[in-house]
Amino acid sequence: MSPQSPLKRVILTSTMLQRNGYSFIQIMLKHSGGRPKKKMYHRVHDLDKVMDLQKKPSLILQLKDIIQSHKTHSILIRDLEKEVGFVQKWNFMALIEKYPSIFRADGGNGVPIKVRLTDKALKVAAEEVNAREVMEPILVTNLRKLLMMSMDCRIPLHKIELIESELGLPRDFKKSLIPKYPHFFSVNDFNGHDYLNLETWDSSLAITSREEKLSNSAPEGDEKTAKMLRGGNCSSPFAFKMCFPDGFRPNKGYLEEVQRWQKMAFPSPYLNARRFDFADPKARKRAVAVLHELLSLTMEKRLNSAQLDAFHDEYQLPCKLLLCLVKNHGIFYITNKGARSTVFLKEAYDGSSLIEKCPLLRFQDKFVQIGINRDVKSESQRVFS
């Protein structure tokens, strides 16, 4: 369905349907003058699973950061509640008990109990400094690209802070990173808000991750000689990688429509959005490219719905963003797992595993594996002994 259709609303029901071993979500597309048209949004269990798999690692890393933020590199259990709240405190206490190879609790018998990292965990944690150093030029480049894509080459600082962990930025990036690169960035007040501004434009950075992957692969030909490949993929220089779920069975007409769209040229996401009319199909395809590039600049190639919504003005994202994401379900995937819905860049994952990991993610994996490998194995031995 075209975004130009007189669409009144899009409803994603939470009712799950089971067919042939696959799960679906029913989508109701309601027109102004007719009955709703039913479509199926196919669930991708592997990507839903990502949200469950990241829960414990996220807690482990969060507690590590809390402990290391204190001068003594330890924290009293009684003070933990002040930092994270009553409910989260008990989640952390369960974590401390489950992963003794990462966290060590000392005290008792009248002595206040405090928790710190074990010697093994401290040794691995020390590697974070090097990972951060390797990450810095990557972060600087990605920040410049984010600003270059924006309407006025500036973004409110509070919106950058909203996705700082997804980008891999340190919490104090405003003090530790931005001032080191005055030739790239400046912070200025605009309408009562602090904005991160781009100081210099670099045309060599105005290349999307999609284009980089095309240039690193075999020659793809031009739009006139482009051929349709399996699963909606196309050998056009303007094509996106499509990853349809196993349960999706497109008919010939659908694939022909996809091929026409894949072969259609479109303006670069790094050109100012004010130059284009969103009614133009090429401009709508450009909006897909902007979303693709925005997700590509994050560490795990995903953002939640609130984070994407926050950048509507800066990137002129589609007003009907949900419809755009659903329509392009071969490129993006929306999961309702977690507190908020999350949008994945599908091509970045092989099953539930992220294909390419940055230095910071590799460090985090190594730290978490201290407990996953040793403590889970010890627990299973106790159960079966």
Short mmCIF file of all heavy atoms in Angstrom, two decimals, residues 335-356:
data_model
loop_
_atom_site.label_atom_id
_atom_site.label_comp_id
_atom_site.label_asym_id
_atom_site.label_seq_id
_atom_site.Cartn_x
_atom_site.Cartn_y
_atom_site.Cartn_z
N THR A 335 9.77 -5.51 17.06
CA THR A 335 9.41 -6.47 18.10
C THR A 335 8.74 -5.75 19.26
O THR A 335 9.10 -4.61 19.58
CB THR A 335 10.65 -7.23 18.62
OG1 THR A 335 10.23 -8.13 19.66
CG2 THR A 335 11.71 -6.30 19.18
N ASN A 336 7.74 -6.39 19.84
CA ASN A 336 7.06 -5.81 20.99
C ASN A 336 7.64 -6.32 22.31
O ASN A 336 7.10 -6.04 23.37
CB ASN A 336 5.56 -6.13 20.93
CG ASN A 336 4.88 -5.39 19.79
OD1 ASN A 336 5.26 -4.28 19.46
ND2 ASN A 336 3.90 -6.03 19.17
N LYS A 337 8.71 -7.11 22.23
CA LYS A 337 9.38 -7.58 23.43
C LYS A 337 10.01 -6.39 24.16
O LYS A 337 10.57 -5.50 23.53
CB LYS A 337 10.46 -8.59 23.08
CG LYS A 337 9.93 -9.92 22.56
CD LYS A 337 9.51 -10.82 23.71
CE LYS A 337 9.16 -12.21 23.22
NZ LYS A 337 8.81 -13.11 24.33
N GLY A 338 9.95 -6.41 25.46
CA GLY A 338 10.56 -5.32 26.22
C GLY A 338 9.54 -4.27 26.59
O GLY A 338 8.36 -4.33 26.21
N ALA A 339 10.00 -3.25 27.32
CA ALA A 339 9.11 -2.19 27.78
C ALA A 339 8.57 -1.36 26.63
O ALA A 339 7.45 -0.86 26.67
CB ALA A 339 9.85 -1.29 28.78
N ARG A 340 9.37 -1.22 25.57
CA ARG A 340 8.95 -0.48 24.38
C ARG A 340 9.23 -1.32 23.14
O ARG A 340 10.10 -2.18 23.15
CB ARG A 340 9.71 0.86 24.26
CG ARG A 340 9.47 1.85 25.39
CD ARG A 340 10.29 3.10 25.17
NE ARG A 340 10.16 4.05 26.26
CZ ARG A 340 9.23 5.00 26.32
NH1 ARG A 340 8.35 5.10 25.35
NH2 ARG A 340 9.19 5.83 27.33
N SER A 341 8.47 -1.06 22.09
CA SER A 341 8.75 -1.75 20.83
C SER A 341 10.13 -1.32 20.32
O SER A 341 10.55 -0.18 20.52
CB SER A 341 7.67 -1.46 19.80
OG SER A 341 7.56 -0.07 19.56
N THR A 342 10.82 -2.24 19.68
CA THR A 342 12.18 -1.99 19.19
C THR A 342 12.24 -2.30 17.71
O THR A 342 11.66 -3.27 17.24
CB THR A 342 13.19 -2.86 19.96
OG1 THR A 342 13.15 -2.52 21.35
CG2 THR A 342 14.61 -2.66 19.44
N VAL A 343 12.98 -1.46 16.97
CA VAL A 343 13.13 -1.62 15.52
C VAL A 343 14.53 -2.15 15.23
O VAL A 343 15.53 -1.54 15.64
CB VAL A 343 12.89 -0.30 14.78
CG1 VAL A 343 13.06 -0.50 13.26
CG2 VAL A 343 11.51 0.26 15.09
N PHE A 344 14.61 -3.27 14.53
CA PHE A 344 15.86 -3.89 14.15
C PHE A 344 16.16 -3.64 12.68
O PHE A 344 15.24 -3.59 11.85
CB PHE A 344 15.80 -5.42 14.34
CG PHE A 344 15.90 -5.89 15.76
CD1 PHE A 344 14.78 -5.91 16.58
CD2 PHE A 344 17.10 -6.34 16.27
CE1 PHE A 344 14.85 -6.37 17.88
CE2 PHE A 344 17.20 -6.81 17.57
CZ PHE A 344 16.07 -6.82 18.37
N LEU A 345 17.43 -3.53 12.34
CA LEU A 345 17.88 -3.61 10.96
C LEU A 345 18.16 -5.09 10.70
O LEU A 345 19.13 -5.65 11.19
CB LEU A 345 19.14 -2.76 10.75
CG LEU A 345 19.66 -2.67 9.32
CD1 LEU A 345 18.63 -2.03 8.40
CD2 LEU A 345 20.96 -1.87 9.28
N LYS A 346 17.31 -5.72 9.91
CA LYS A 346 17.32 -7.19 9.81
C LYS A 346 18.62 -7.73 9.22
O LYS A 346 19.12 -8.77 9.65
CB LYS A 346 16.12 -7.65 8.98
CG LYS A 346 14.79 -7.35 9.63
CD LYS A 346 13.61 -7.73 8.75
CE LYS A 346 13.37 -9.22 8.78
NZ LYS A 346 12.10 -9.57 8.09
N GLU A 347 19.19 -7.03 8.25
CA GLU A 347 20.38 -7.55 7.58
C GLU A 347 21.59 -7.64 8.51
O GLU A 347 22.57 -8.32 8.21
CB GLU A 347 20.74 -6.67 6.38
CG GLU A 347 21.23 -5.28 6.77
CD GLU A 347 21.48 -4.40 5.56
OE1 GLU A 347 20.53 -4.14 4.80
OE2 GLU A 347 22.63 -3.99 5.38
N ALA A 348 21.52 -6.94 9.66
CA ALA A 348 22.66 -6.92 10.59
C ALA A 348 22.72 -8.16 11.46
O ALA A 348 23.69 -8.34 12.19
CB ALA A 348 22.58 -5.67 11.48
N TYR A 349 21.70 -9.03 11.37
CA TYR A 349 21.63 -10.19 12.24
C TYR A 349 21.62 -11.50 11.46
O TYR A 349 21.03 -11.59 10.38
CB TYR A 349 20.38 -10.12 13.12
CG TYR A 349 20.52 -9.13 14.25
CD1 TYR A 349 20.34 -7.76 14.04
CD2 TYR A 349 20.86 -9.54 15.53
CE1 TYR A 349 20.49 -6.85 15.06
CE2 TYR A 349 21.01 -8.63 16.57
CZ TYR A 349 20.83 -7.29 16.32
OH TYR A 349 20.99 -6.39 17.34
N ASP A 350 22.27 -12.49 12.03
CA ASP A 350 22.20 -13.86 11.55
C ASP A 350 21.54 -14.65 12.67
O ASP A 350 22.16 -14.97 13.68
CB ASP A 350 23.61 -14.40 11.27
CG ASP A 350 23.58 -15.84 10.79
OD1 ASP A 350 22.49 -16.34 10.46
OD2 ASP A 350 24.65 -16.47 10.73
N GLY A 351 20.27 -14.93 12.50
CA GLY A 351 19.50 -15.51 13.60
C GLY A 351 19.37 -14.49 14.72
O GLY A 351 18.89 -13.38 14.50
N SER A 352 19.84 -14.86 15.90
CA SER A 352 19.80 -13.94 17.05
C SER A 352 21.15 -13.26 17.29
O SER A 352 21.31 -12.54 18.28
CB SER A 352 19.38 -14.69 18.32
OG SER A 352 18.09 -15.23 18.18
N SER A 353 22.10 -13.48 16.39
CA SER A 353 23.45 -12.97 16.60
C SER A 353 23.74 -11.77 15.70
O SER A 353 23.46 -11.81 14.49
CB SER A 353 24.48 -14.07 16.32
OG SER A 353 24.28 -15.17 17.17
N LEU A 354 24.31 -10.74 16.30
CA LEU A 354 24.76 -9.59 15.53
C LEU A 354 25.98 -10.00 14.72
O LEU A 354 26.92 -10.59 15.24
CB LEU A 354 25.12 -8.45 16.50
CG LEU A 354 25.46 -7.08 15.90
CD1 LEU A 354 24.24 -6.49 15.18
CD2 LEU A 354 25.94 -6.14 17.00
N ILE A 355 25.97 -9.71 13.42
CA ILE A 355 27.02 -10.20 12.52
C ILE A 355 28.35 -9.48 12.77
O ILE A 355 29.40 -10.12 12.89
CB ILE A 355 26.58 -10.04 11.05
CG1 ILE A 355 25.36 -10.91 10.78
CG2 ILE A 355 27.73 -10.42 10.10
CD1 ILE A 355 24.73 -10.70 9.42
N GLU A 356 28.31 -8.16 12.84
CA GLU A 356 29.54 -7.38 13.05
C GLU A 356 29.47 -6.65 14.38
O GLU A 356 28.51 -5.93 14.64
CB GLU A 356 29.74 -6.38 11.91
CG GLU A 356 29.92 -7.02 10.54
CD GLU A 356 30.09 -5.99 9.44
OE1 GLU A 356 30.11 -4.78 9.75
OE2 GLU A 356 30.20 -6.39 8.26
#
